[in-house]
Amino acid sequence: MITRRGFLRFIGGSFLSVASFSAYAVGIEPMLLTHVKRYALTPPHWPAGLKLRVVALADIHACRPWMTPERIASLAEEANALQPDLIVLLGDYIAGIRLLSQRVTPPEWAGALSGLKAPLGVLSILGNHDWWADGFAQRAGVGPTIARKALEKVGIPVLENDVVRLEKDGHGVWIAGLADQLALLRKKKHERPRRLDDLDGTLAKISDAAPVILLAHEPDIFPKVPSRVSLTLAGHTHGGQVRLFGYSPIVPSQFGNRYAYGHVIENDRNLIVSGGLGFSNLPIRFGMRPEILQIDLG
Ligand SMILES: [Fe+2]
């Protein structure tokens, strides 16, 4: 027989467990447990003697109270402290959740990102939320989006189906950035968003044999990426935001868990998907701490 007091204790205990779980998943893990996720690899055909450290920030989703300009500025300082050769931003600066959070304006988040510093510079691409939040760009069907203008205003180039050639220690390296694969929302709900990425057109701009790093907000492009590309970097999935034992129940990808998170090697081609920093939809992270990527190539 369960006594009245036992029952009340059970209810109280359950309430406390739910409350502490919520505090952890909504507050502690998303905001306090940011870490540096490190990878070191030598992709196939990578030139001997080229050592390159790339630091990547993905899915910032600026909003109050979770991703304030102050927090973004301190993430930028953490990124700089890793002494990268190059810093890349993988899209989704703008928040998806509107009901629970307050807006951080593009000049505010871009201003915080302007603190990023690296010898080879800072390069960026845009994500779906950067397009979806821009009513004018949605109606026009073309950019430049507000996010692009904000980044350019602080001196961060935005690659949308474009490439940049960098040089380190006498070696060239190409950074190619795709336009977003889910950029334009359709009027009818069941229709997939219209894509603006042009992989072939982007890679056609590469004019010598130096290695290529591809920046693509959504990892779903990966099956189409040729082996000419040494490494593809993506974000967007947030690792599912909830991830247990290497499995994410909800992943915004048509490939489910295949590209949900981490280092994926398929047919000698390399993909790294960042778990990102912020969140869209539900303000919860569990088993998927916010991360700054550090990738050592060579
Ligand atoms: Fe995204």
Side-chain angles (χ1 to χ4, degrees):
M1 271 292 281
I2 195 165
T3 62
R4 187 182 143 95
R5 179 177 290 184
F7 178 72
L8 288 176
R9 202 178 285 150
F10 170 74
I11 294 290
S14 309
F15 176 77
L16 278 181
S17 323
V18 170
S20 48
F21 172 81
S22 309
Y24 178 82
V26 176
I28 295 169
E29 180 161 321
M31 296 178 72
L32 299 177
L33 297 182
T34 303
H35 73 132
V36 179
K37 178 73 183 172
R38 292 180 167 87
Y39 296 93
L41 63 151
T42 311
H45 317 298
W46 188 261
L50 173 56
K51 297 228 171 290
L52 190 73
R53 174 170 290 178
V54 182
V55 162
L57 306 182
D59 302 281
I60 287 166
H61 291 292
C63 68
R64 292 183 173 86
W66 291 285
M67 189 60 79
T68 60
E70 295 73 29
R71 183 165 173 222
I72 298 169
S74 91
L75 290 168
E77 272 178 40
E78 270 188 72
N80 293 342
L82 299 172
Q83 300 192 304
D85 297 304
L86 170 71
I87 298 175
V88 296
L89 305 175
L90 300 175
D92 275 4
Y93 312 93
I94 295 179
I97 30 173
R98 283 289 153 79
L99 290 174
L100 296 165
S101 67
Q102 284 175 323
R103 210 168 114 83
V104 171
T105 65
E108 284 179 299
W109 56 254
L113 290 173
S114 71
L116 290 167
K117 298 277 179 283
L120 299 181
V122 183
L123 295 170
S124 72
I125 56 171
L126 300 181
N128 54 312
H129 284 286
D130 305 318
W131 277 91
W132 294 356
D134 189 329
F136 187 80
Q138 286 293 321
R139 282 189 294 280
V142 290
T145 54
I146 292 166
R148 178 170 180 141
K149 285 190 265 190
L151 286 161
E152 287 178 337
K153 202 161 182 191
V154 296
I156 299 177
V158 182
L159 303 176
E160 292 186 281
N161 300 327
D162 216 343
V163 300
V164 168
R165 190 179 187 280
L166 305 173
E167 243 179 72
K168 193 193 168 204
D169 301 335
H171 294 279
V173 59
W174 292 92
I175 310 300
L178 279 191
D180 191 59
Q181 298 156 59
L182 302 168
L184 299 171
L185 290 165
R186 301 283 194 160
K187 296 216 167 55
K188 290 186 189 141
K189 264 209 155 160
H190 61 274
E191 287 181 324
R192 278 186 68 74
R194 186 152 73 80
R195 56 196 309 149
L196 292 175
D197 58 302
D198 177 5
L199 180 62
D200 294 343
T202 305
L203 297 181
K205 295 178 180 178
I206 287 163
S207 57
D208 66 26
V212 182
I213 298 171
L214 176 69
L215 314 179
H217 178 68
E218 295 88 357
D220 285 19
I221 193 72
F222 189 56
K224 298 199 177 108
V225 176
S227 54
R228 171 73 182 86
V229 172
S230 295
L231 172 65
T232 302
L233 294 180
H236 181 66
T237 61
H238 307 177
Q241 284 184 202
V242 172
R243 189 165 172 90
L244 295 167
F245 309 112
Y247 174 79
S248 308
I250 302 167
V251 185
S253 161
Q254 54 176 312
F255 298 102
N257 269 264
R258 185 165 148 191
Y259 305 136
Y261 178 68
H263 188 185
V264 179
I265 304 172
E266 288 181 357
N267 305 325
D268 252 5
R269 299 164 317 125
N270 285 272
L271 166 72
I272 293 176
V273 184
S274 171
L277 287 155
F279 31 56
S280 50
N281 304 320
L282 282 179
I284 286 176
R285 273 184 180 264
F286 190 74
M288 184 44 61
R289 288 158 60 189
E291 67 181 26
I292 294 173
L293 281 189
Q294 174 190 301
I295 302 153
D296 286 323
L297 293 162

